[in-house]
Short mmCIF file of all heavy atoms in Angstrom, two decimals:
data_model
loop_
_atom_site.label_atom_id
_atom_site.label_comp_id
_atom_site.label_asym_id
_atom_site.label_seq_id
_atom_site.Cartn_x
_atom_site.Cartn_y
_atom_site.Cartn_z
N SER A 1 131.81 82.86 88.92
CA SER A 1 131.73 82.18 87.62
C SER A 1 132.48 82.92 86.52
O SER A 1 132.82 82.33 85.49
CB SER A 1 130.25 82.01 87.21
OG SER A 1 129.67 83.26 86.91
N VAL A 2 132.73 84.22 86.72
CA VAL A 2 133.45 84.99 85.70
C VAL A 2 134.92 85.19 86.06
O VAL A 2 135.66 85.81 85.29
CB VAL A 2 132.79 86.36 85.45
CG1 VAL A 2 131.38 86.19 84.95
CG2 VAL A 2 132.83 87.23 86.70
N ALA A 3 135.35 84.68 87.21
CA ALA A 3 136.73 84.90 87.65
C ALA A 3 137.74 84.33 86.66
O ALA A 3 138.72 85.01 86.29
CB ALA A 3 136.94 84.30 89.04
N LEU A 4 137.52 83.10 86.20
CA LEU A 4 138.47 82.49 85.26
C LEU A 4 138.49 83.20 83.91
O LEU A 4 139.57 83.49 83.39
CB LEU A 4 138.16 81.00 85.09
CG LEU A 4 138.74 80.05 86.14
CD1 LEU A 4 138.33 78.62 85.84
CD2 LEU A 4 140.26 80.16 86.19
N PRO A 5 137.32 83.48 83.30
CA PRO A 5 137.37 84.23 82.04
C PRO A 5 138.06 85.58 82.17
O PRO A 5 138.85 85.96 81.29
CB PRO A 5 135.88 84.39 81.68
CG PRO A 5 135.20 83.26 82.34
CD PRO A 5 135.95 83.04 83.61
N VAL A 6 137.78 86.31 83.25
CA VAL A 6 138.40 87.62 83.44
C VAL A 6 139.91 87.48 83.62
O VAL A 6 140.69 88.28 83.09
CB VAL A 6 137.77 88.35 84.65
CG1 VAL A 6 138.56 89.60 85.00
CG2 VAL A 6 136.33 88.73 84.33
N LEU A 7 140.33 86.46 84.34
CA LEU A 7 141.76 86.21 84.48
C LEU A 7 142.38 85.96 83.11
O LEU A 7 143.54 86.34 82.87
CB LEU A 7 142.01 85.02 85.40
CG LEU A 7 143.48 84.66 85.63
CD1 LEU A 7 144.22 85.81 86.32
CD2 LEU A 7 143.60 83.38 86.46
N GLY A 8 141.60 85.35 82.21
CA GLY A 8 142.10 85.10 80.87
C GLY A 8 142.48 86.38 80.15
O GLY A 8 143.58 86.49 79.60
N ILE A 9 141.61 87.38 80.18
CA ILE A 9 141.92 88.64 79.49
C ILE A 9 143.01 89.41 80.23
O ILE A 9 143.82 90.09 79.62
CB ILE A 9 140.65 89.50 79.32
CG1 ILE A 9 140.88 90.61 78.29
CG2 ILE A 9 140.19 90.08 80.64
CD1 ILE A 9 141.09 90.13 76.89
N LEU A 10 143.05 89.28 81.56
CA LEU A 10 144.10 89.95 82.33
C LEU A 10 145.47 89.33 82.06
O LEU A 10 146.50 89.98 82.29
CB LEU A 10 143.78 89.89 83.83
CG LEU A 10 142.54 90.64 84.31
CD1 LEU A 10 142.38 90.48 85.82
CD2 LEU A 10 142.60 92.11 83.94
N SER A 11 145.47 88.09 81.58
CA SER A 11 146.74 87.40 81.31
C SER A 11 147.53 88.06 80.18
O SER A 11 148.70 87.74 79.98
CB SER A 11 146.48 85.93 80.96
OG SER A 11 145.91 85.24 82.06
N LEU A 12 146.89 88.97 79.45
CA LEU A 12 147.63 89.74 78.45
C LEU A 12 148.79 90.48 79.09
O LEU A 12 149.82 90.72 78.46
CB LEU A 12 146.69 90.73 77.75
CG LEU A 12 145.73 90.14 76.71
CD1 LEU A 12 144.70 91.19 76.31
CD2 LEU A 12 146.50 89.63 75.49
N LEU A 13 148.63 90.86 80.36
CA LEU A 13 149.69 91.57 81.07
C LEU A 13 150.93 90.69 81.26
O LEU A 13 152.04 91.20 81.41
CB LEU A 13 149.19 92.05 82.43
CG LEU A 13 148.08 93.11 82.41
CD1 LEU A 13 147.54 93.35 83.82
CD2 LEU A 13 148.60 94.41 81.82
N LEU A 14 150.74 89.36 81.23
CA LEU A 14 151.86 88.45 81.40
C LEU A 14 152.81 88.49 80.21
O LEU A 14 153.96 88.07 80.32
CB LEU A 14 151.36 87.02 81.61
CG LEU A 14 150.52 86.75 82.85
CD1 LEU A 14 150.07 85.30 82.88
CD2 LEU A 14 151.29 87.09 84.12
N LEU A 15 152.34 88.99 79.09
CA LEU A 15 153.17 89.04 77.88
C LEU A 15 153.98 90.31 77.79
O LEU A 15 154.85 90.44 76.91
CB LEU A 15 152.28 88.90 76.63
CG LEU A 15 151.42 87.64 76.54
CD1 LEU A 15 150.66 87.62 75.23
CD2 LEU A 15 152.26 86.38 76.71
N LEU A 16 153.69 91.27 78.69
CA LEU A 16 154.42 92.53 78.65
C LEU A 16 155.82 92.36 79.25
O LEU A 16 155.99 91.67 80.25
CB LEU A 16 153.67 93.61 79.44
CG LEU A 16 152.27 93.98 78.93
CD1 LEU A 16 151.65 95.02 79.84
CD2 LEU A 16 152.35 94.49 77.50
N LYS A 17 156.79 92.98 78.63
CA LYS A 17 158.16 92.98 79.16
C LYS A 17 158.35 94.22 80.01
O LYS A 17 158.79 95.27 79.54
CB LYS A 17 159.16 92.93 78.02
CG LYS A 17 159.08 91.66 77.17
CD LYS A 17 160.12 91.66 76.07
CE LYS A 17 160.02 90.39 75.25
NZ LYS A 17 161.03 90.35 74.16
N ILE A 18 157.95 94.11 81.27
CA ILE A 18 157.99 95.26 82.18
C ILE A 18 158.76 94.90 83.44
O ILE A 18 158.70 93.76 83.92
CB ILE A 18 156.58 95.73 82.55
CG1 ILE A 18 155.72 94.55 83.04
CG2 ILE A 18 155.90 96.41 81.37
CD1 ILE A 18 154.32 94.94 83.45
N GLY A 19 159.45 95.88 83.98
CA GLY A 19 160.18 95.68 85.22
C GLY A 19 159.28 95.82 86.43
O GLY A 19 158.15 96.31 86.32
N LEU A 20 159.77 95.40 87.57
CA LEU A 20 158.98 95.44 88.79
C LEU A 20 158.60 96.87 89.17
O LEU A 20 157.52 97.11 89.72
CB LEU A 20 159.75 94.77 89.94
CG LEU A 20 159.98 93.27 89.80
CD1 LEU A 20 160.78 92.74 90.98
CD2 LEU A 20 158.66 92.53 89.69
N GLN A 21 159.49 97.83 88.91
CA GLN A 21 159.21 99.21 89.28
C GLN A 21 158.06 99.79 88.47
O GLN A 21 157.32 100.66 88.95
CB GLN A 21 160.47 100.06 89.10
CG GLN A 21 161.61 99.68 90.05
CD GLN A 21 162.84 100.54 89.84
OE1 GLN A 21 162.98 101.20 88.82
NE2 GLN A 21 163.74 100.52 90.82
N SER A 22 157.90 99.33 87.25
CA SER A 22 156.84 99.84 86.39
C SER A 22 155.53 99.07 86.56
O SER A 22 154.47 99.55 86.15
CB SER A 22 157.26 99.77 84.92
OG SER A 22 158.48 100.44 84.70
N LEU A 23 155.60 97.90 87.16
CA LEU A 23 154.45 97.00 87.23
C LEU A 23 153.27 97.63 87.97
O LEU A 23 152.14 97.64 87.47
CB LEU A 23 154.86 95.69 87.90
CG LEU A 23 153.76 94.63 88.06
CD1 LEU A 23 153.18 94.27 86.69
CD2 LEU A 23 154.31 93.40 88.76
N SER A 24 153.51 98.14 89.17
CA SER A 24 152.42 98.70 89.97
C SER A 24 151.80 99.92 89.30
O SER A 24 150.59 100.13 89.38
CB SER A 24 152.92 99.07 91.36
OG SER A 24 153.98 100.02 91.29
N VAL A 25 152.63 100.72 88.62
CA VAL A 25 152.12 101.90 87.92
C VAL A 25 151.19 101.49 86.78
O VAL A 25 150.10 102.05 86.60
CB VAL A 25 153.28 102.74 87.36
CG1 VAL A 25 152.74 103.92 86.54
CG2 VAL A 25 154.16 103.24 88.49
N ILE A 26 151.61 100.50 86.01
CA ILE A 26 150.82 100.03 84.89
C ILE A 26 149.50 99.43 85.36
O ILE A 26 148.43 99.69 84.78
CB ILE A 26 151.61 99.00 84.06
CG1 ILE A 26 152.78 99.69 83.36
CG2 ILE A 26 150.72 98.30 83.05
CD1 ILE A 26 153.69 98.74 82.61
N VAL A 27 149.54 98.65 86.43
CA VAL A 27 148.33 98.03 86.97
C VAL A 27 147.38 99.10 87.48
O VAL A 27 146.15 99.03 87.26
CB VAL A 27 148.68 97.03 88.08
CG1 VAL A 27 147.42 96.59 88.83
CG2 VAL A 27 149.38 95.81 87.49
N THR A 28 147.90 100.11 88.17
CA THR A 28 147.07 101.21 88.66
C THR A 28 146.40 101.96 87.51
O THR A 28 145.20 102.26 87.57
CB THR A 28 147.90 102.19 89.51
OG1 THR A 28 148.49 101.50 90.61
CG2 THR A 28 147.02 103.32 90.04
N LEU A 29 147.15 102.25 86.48
CA LEU A 29 146.60 102.92 85.29
C LEU A 29 145.55 102.05 84.61
O LEU A 29 144.53 102.56 84.12
CB LEU A 29 147.71 103.27 84.31
CG LEU A 29 148.68 104.38 84.73
CD1 LEU A 29 149.80 104.52 83.70
CD2 LEU A 29 147.94 105.71 84.88
N PHE A 30 145.77 100.76 84.60
CA PHE A 30 144.83 99.83 83.99
C PHE A 30 143.49 99.85 84.74
O PHE A 30 142.42 99.92 84.13
CB PHE A 30 145.41 98.42 83.98
CG PHE A 30 144.47 97.37 83.46
CD1 PHE A 30 144.26 97.25 82.09
CD2 PHE A 30 143.82 96.51 84.32
CE1 PHE A 30 143.38 96.29 81.60
CE2 PHE A 30 142.95 95.55 83.85
CZ PHE A 30 142.73 95.44 82.48
N ILE A 31 143.56 99.79 86.07
CA ILE A 31 142.33 99.82 86.88
C ILE A 31 141.59 101.14 86.68
O ILE A 31 140.36 101.17 86.52
CB ILE A 31 142.66 99.61 88.37
CG1 ILE A 31 143.25 98.21 88.59
CG2 ILE A 31 141.42 99.80 89.24
CD1 ILE A 31 143.79 97.99 89.99
N PHE A 32 142.34 102.24 86.69
CA PHE A 32 141.74 103.56 86.50
C PHE A 32 141.05 103.65 85.14
O PHE A 32 139.93 104.18 85.02
CB PHE A 32 142.82 104.64 86.62
CG PHE A 32 142.31 106.04 86.37
CD1 PHE A 32 141.60 106.71 87.36
CD2 PHE A 32 142.53 106.67 85.16
CE1 PHE A 32 141.11 107.99 87.12
CE2 PHE A 32 142.05 107.94 84.93
CZ PHE A 32 141.34 108.61 85.92
N THR A 33 141.70 103.11 84.09
CA THR A 33 141.12 103.14 82.75
C THR A 33 139.84 102.32 82.69
O THR A 33 138.86 102.72 82.04
CB THR A 33 142.13 102.61 81.72
OG1 THR A 33 143.33 103.38 81.79
CG2 THR A 33 141.56 102.67 80.32
N CYS A 34 139.83 101.17 83.36
CA CYS A 34 138.64 100.33 83.39
C CYS A 34 137.45 101.07 84.00
O CYS A 34 136.32 100.99 83.50
CB CYS A 34 138.92 99.04 84.16
SG CYS A 34 139.96 97.85 83.29
N PHE A 35 137.70 101.79 85.09
CA PHE A 35 136.63 102.57 85.72
C PHE A 35 136.21 103.74 84.84
O PHE A 35 135.02 104.09 84.77
CB PHE A 35 137.07 103.08 87.09
CG PHE A 35 136.77 102.12 88.20
CD1 PHE A 35 137.75 101.28 88.69
CD2 PHE A 35 135.51 102.07 88.76
CE1 PHE A 35 137.48 100.39 89.72
CE2 PHE A 35 135.21 101.18 89.80
CZ PHE A 35 136.19 100.34 90.27
N LEU A 36 137.17 104.34 84.17
CA LEU A 36 136.88 105.48 83.30
C LEU A 36 135.98 105.07 82.14
O LEU A 36 135.13 105.85 81.69
CB LEU A 36 138.19 106.07 82.77
CG LEU A 36 138.13 107.44 82.11
CD1 LEU A 36 137.71 108.50 83.12
CD2 LEU A 36 139.48 107.80 81.50
N LEU A 37 136.13 103.84 81.66
CA LEU A 37 135.37 103.34 80.52
C LEU A 37 134.07 102.66 80.92
O LEU A 37 133.32 102.19 80.06
CB LEU A 37 136.22 102.36 79.70
CG LEU A 37 137.49 102.94 79.06
CD1 LEU A 37 138.27 101.84 78.37
CD2 LEU A 37 137.14 104.06 78.09
N LEU A 38 133.79 102.60 82.23
CA LEU A 38 132.57 101.95 82.72
C LEU A 38 131.33 102.74 82.29
O LEU A 38 131.27 103.95 82.47
CB LEU A 38 132.62 101.84 84.24
CG LEU A 38 131.66 100.86 84.91
CD1 LEU A 38 131.97 99.43 84.48
CD2 LEU A 38 131.76 100.98 86.43
N LYS A 39 130.35 102.04 81.71
CA LYS A 39 129.14 102.69 81.20
C LYS A 39 127.90 102.09 81.85
O LYS A 39 127.87 100.93 82.24
CB LYS A 39 129.05 102.52 79.69
CG LYS A 39 130.20 103.13 78.92
CD LYS A 39 130.05 102.90 77.43
CE LYS A 39 131.20 103.52 76.64
NZ LYS A 39 131.06 103.27 75.17
N LYS A 40 126.83 102.91 81.94
CA LYS A 40 125.57 102.43 82.51
C LYS A 40 124.82 101.54 81.53
O LYS A 40 124.16 100.59 81.92
CB LYS A 40 124.69 103.63 82.90
CG LYS A 40 125.21 104.41 84.10
CD LYS A 40 124.22 105.50 84.50
CE LYS A 40 124.71 106.25 85.74
NZ LYS A 40 123.77 107.31 86.16
N ASP A 41 124.88 101.88 80.24
CA ASP A 41 124.19 101.10 79.20
C ASP A 41 125.22 100.65 78.17
O ASP A 41 125.35 101.23 77.08
CB ASP A 41 123.11 101.94 78.53
CG ASP A 41 122.05 102.39 79.51
OD1 ASP A 41 121.51 101.54 80.22
OD2 ASP A 41 121.77 103.61 79.57
#
């Protein structure tokens, strides 16, 4: 039920002017940052 809303916020990446070589690096850093900011409360 949250897949579409989450895809909405991830769509911000579609506006970035990035090359294919940088894409995987940026996505990896994004995932790492999301985990780093994960909180229990």
Side-chain angles (χ1 to χ4, degrees):
S1 68
V2 299
L4 276 179
V6 170
L7 180 62
I9 195 67
L10 295 180
S11 296
L12 284 170
L13 294 172
L14 297 178
L15 302 183
L16 298 178
K17 297 181 180 180
I18 51 179
L20 293 179
Q21 294 180 344
S22 305
L23 180 58
S24 59
V25 176
I26 292 175
V27 169
T28 301
L29 289 175
F30 176 77
I31 296 172
F32 177 78
T33 303
C34 287
F35 271 98
L36 193 64
L37 297 176
L38 197 64
K39 299 179 180 179
K40 290 185 178 180
D41 300 308

